[in-house]
Amino acid sequence: MRSWKERFENILEDPLLNDVRPFPKPITAEDRLIESIKELLQWIEQNNKVPSSSSFVFEEKRMAKRLEGLLEDADKKMVLLSHDIDNVLGLA
């Protein structure tokens, strides 16, 4: 008689389970926040300036609003401390 471990290994080797994958990790508010600062930093790098809310370009205005929102929230700024490599939030 086969051991429990051998039977379990046989089950895991079943071809029907080849496409089975674990559920992806849920995206958290912190993940979204980090993605937000990365996008902002990328925009600044590509445009060689901090976005201005007085711009007529929609994308620049959107980035400026994002930056304003981050600057106004001390909790968000603390979460982003290690991700703000260009010190856009003035935390260094």
Side-chain angles (χ1 to χ4, degrees):
M1 185 165 177
R2 294 183 322 191
S3 72
W4 180 88
K5 183 179 178 186
E6 289 172 327
R7 287 184 291 171
F8 184 70
E9 286 174 353
N10 273 352
I11 291 171
L12 292 178
E13 292 172 2
D14 189 319
L16 291 175
L17 298 177
N18 285 346
D19 293 331
V20 175
R21 301 284 179 261
F23 287 110
K25 178 183 162 193
I27 298 173
T28 65
E30 186 173 317
D31 293 336
R32 285 191 297 276
L33 192 56
I34 291 167
E35 207 45 51
S36 180
I37 190 75
K38 286 179 180 179
E39 187 179 349
L40 179 60
L41 292 172
Q42 182 180 18
W43 188 94
I44 291 170
E45 183 179 322
Q46 289 173 349
N47 293 279
N48 296 316
K49 66 177 185 171
V50 175
S52 168
S53 59
S54 62
S55 173
F56 292 108
V57 179
F58 174 75
E59 184 65 16
E60 183 172 359
K61 273 189 156 184
R62 188 173 75 83
M63 288 293 134
K65 289 293 182 191
R66 178 175 295 173
L67 179 58
E68 288 172 18
L70 295 175
L71 290 172
E72 292 172 357
D73 192 322
D75 292 335
K76 288 180 181 178
K77 286 171 37 173
M78 291 312 297
V79 169
L80 296 173
L81 181 63
S82 64
H83 300 279
D84 185 13
I85 56 176
D86 293 335
N87 196 29
V88 174
L89 303 175
L91 296 172

